[in-house]
Amino acid sequence: MHKFITLLALLPFMVLANENSLTCYVVGVSDGDTLSCFDAENRKTEKIRLRGIDAPEAKQPFGQRSKQSLSSLAHDQAATVKWSKRDRWGRIIGAVWVEPVDCHGCGHTLDVGRAQLSVGMAWWFRRYANEQPDEERQQYKFEEREAKARRVGLWQEMKPVPPWEWRKR
């Protein structure tokens, strides 16, 4: 029994240790937390759902602004995707890294999910926080807290409705 409990405790770390890396080119943005990336090596386009965030739905306040924000960060950019799972629709769930627009030659150093949080265009998706590496989880938590404190993006609203509640309605 003790070995089983130890195995369960280590499972999240084992999954993250087996993280895959995909190099691709961002060819489309569906909304503030989903994009399409062309994988030239395998000659296919993959849907990528950004790990750790949930952005407003299209008809929700800030839905279109969130999509525009992600587009300005990632569309028409080479990207590196760090991932370890797919969702039930076959989308890759991962962190997407691109070169910052203002830092040519820096490489893929901008985490677009974290950037979306920092400008108030998404919520940190606590429900799936255990699927994030610890450092990423702490950074995302911090960025959401700072965006709230600065009242930027969707945090300008008195009581912004999280997308998981919006979808239930």
Side-chain angles (χ1 to χ4, degrees), residues 2 21-22 42-43 67 69 75 84 88 96 98 101 109 116 127 133 138-139 145 163 168:
H2 183 267
S21 184
L22 167 69
N42 295 310
R43 294 184 178 181
K67 178 181 177 179
S69 175
H75 193 259
S84 58
R88 60 183 159 183
V96 175
V98 298
V101 178
T109 58
Q116 284 286 83
R127 179 178 172 189
Q138 295 306 319
Q139 291 169 342
R145 188 174 52 236
K168 285 181 186 176

Side-chain angles (χ1 to χ4, degrees), residues 43-149:
R43 294 184 178 181
K44 69 187 259 186
T45 300
E46 293 277 8
K47 275 271 202 203
I48 314 292
R49 173 69 164 75
L50 298 179
R51 174 175 67 204
I53 71 168
D54 201 3
E57 297 296 329
K59 295 189 181 198
Q60 208 177 336
F62 288 91
Q64 290 305 309
R65 287 178 58 189
S66 180
K67 178 181 177 179
Q68 291 167 349
S69 175
L70 183 57
S71 290
S72 71
L73 291 166
H75 193 259
D76 285 334
Q77 296 264 0
T80 300
V81 182
K82 301 289 186 182
W83 66 283
S84 58
K85 74 177 245 181
R86 290 181 184 267
D87 66 12
R88 60 183 159 183
W89 297 282
R91 298 179 301 185
I92 289 174
I93 307 296
V96 175
W97 294 79
V98 298
E99 183 172 87
V101 178
D102 61 350
C103 191
H104 297 291
C106 290
H108 297 170
T109 58
L110 178 69
D111 174 348
V112 298
R114 184 176 175 190
Q116 284 286 83
L117 290 168
S118 75
V119 294
M121 290 297 142
W123 279 260
W124 173 44
F125 211 170
R126 286 169 177 78
R127 179 178 172 189
Y128 297 103
N130 65 331
E131 296 180 6
Q132 291 180 280
D134 187 54
E135 183 178 359
E136 180 181 284
R137 181 173 47 249
Q138 295 306 319
Q139 291 169 342
Y140 281 35
K141 180 180 180 180
F142 173 82
E143 293 298 351
E144 183 188 72
R145 188 174 52 236
E146 288 296 304
K148 274 185 188 178

